[in-house]
Amino acid sequence: ESPPPPIEEDEPVLSLTRSKPRHTAPLPPPPEPPALAESLEELAKAHNADEVVTALVAGLAPAPALVLAVRGQAYEGRAGSPLIDAQGVRRIRLATGTPSVAETAVRQGYYLGTLPLTSAHGAMREVLGRDADGEVYVTQVSVSNRPSLVVVIALVKALGGSVEATRKGGELCRAAGHALESVVVSK
C-alpha cells in the first residue's frame, strides 16, 4: 500500500474547539423533598385529619404514596401523592379479612415486597402505574393502638433504597399516629 498523500497547505484544518451551547439559561434545580425534621414538624402542627394526611404524603415525597382509611369492613382510598389520580385513589377499596397488602400491614405491622397481581390490588396498581411494578412498603398509622390508616409507599430509587425508605416511612407514620391522636383528644 502506498502512504496517504501529504496534506496541502491550502486545505482547511479541522477545528477542535467546542461551540457554545445555544441555551445558556441554567436548568432549574429538581424540587427538593422535605427533610424528615420539617415533615415531622408539619405533622405536629396539623389541626385535623386532612392536614395530617396531607403532611404525611408530602413528607414521603418524592416517593409515590397512597393513604387508605381503615373503615369497618374495608380499606378505602383517601389520598395520594400529587402526581397520582385523586379519583383513582377514591376507587381503591380492599375488603378487610381478605388477603391484601393492607391486611398484612395491619396484622403484622408492615408489608415489604411487590404488589400482588390480584384483582383486589387492581385499582391500586392502576393509580400507581409503572411504580406498581417495583417493591412497595405498606405500613399502618395507629391511633390508640388501633389501625386508622394504611400507607402504601412505592420504593422508587429516588428514596435512596428500601432501607432508608422504610425507616423514613415508619417514622412518619408513627408521627402521623401521634398527630391524629392529638386531633382526636383536642375535639
Side-chain angles (χ1 to χ4, degrees), residues 29 34 45 51 81 127 150:
K45 289 192 299 189
E51 287 179 13
S81 299
V127 296
V150 172

Side-chain angles (χ1 to χ4, degrees), residues 148-163:
S148 176
L149 302 171
V150 172
V151 181
V152 180
I153 308 164
L155 299 179
V156 293
K157 286 186 174 63
L159 282 178
S162 59
V163 172

Side-chain angles (χ1 to χ4, degrees), residues 96-185:
T96 55
T98 58
S100 72
V101 296
E103 188 72 13
T104 300
V106 166
R107 293 197 185 281
Q108 297 179 0
Y110 73 95
Y111 170 87
L112 178 63
T114 57
L115 202 55
L117 293 167
T118 62
S119 59
H121 296 93
M124 202 179 291
R125 291 185 74 76
E126 191 177 305
V127 296
L128 285 173
R130 63 171 204 245
D131 292 322
D133 295 332
E135 263 192 337
V136 293
Y137 174 59
V138 186
T139 190
Q140 62 178 305
V141 173
S142 297
V143 177
S144 302
N145 295 320
R146 296 187 61 204
S148 176
L149 302 171
V150 172
V151 181
V152 180
I153 308 164
L155 299 179
V156 293
K157 286 186 174 63
L159 282 178
S162 59
V163 172
E164 179 59 26
T166 55
R167 186 191 67 75
K168 182 180 179 184
E171 208 166 320
L172 287 169
C173 287
R174 279 188 296 282
H178 294 305
L180 284 173
E181 209 157 324
S182 295
V183 167
V184 171
V185 168

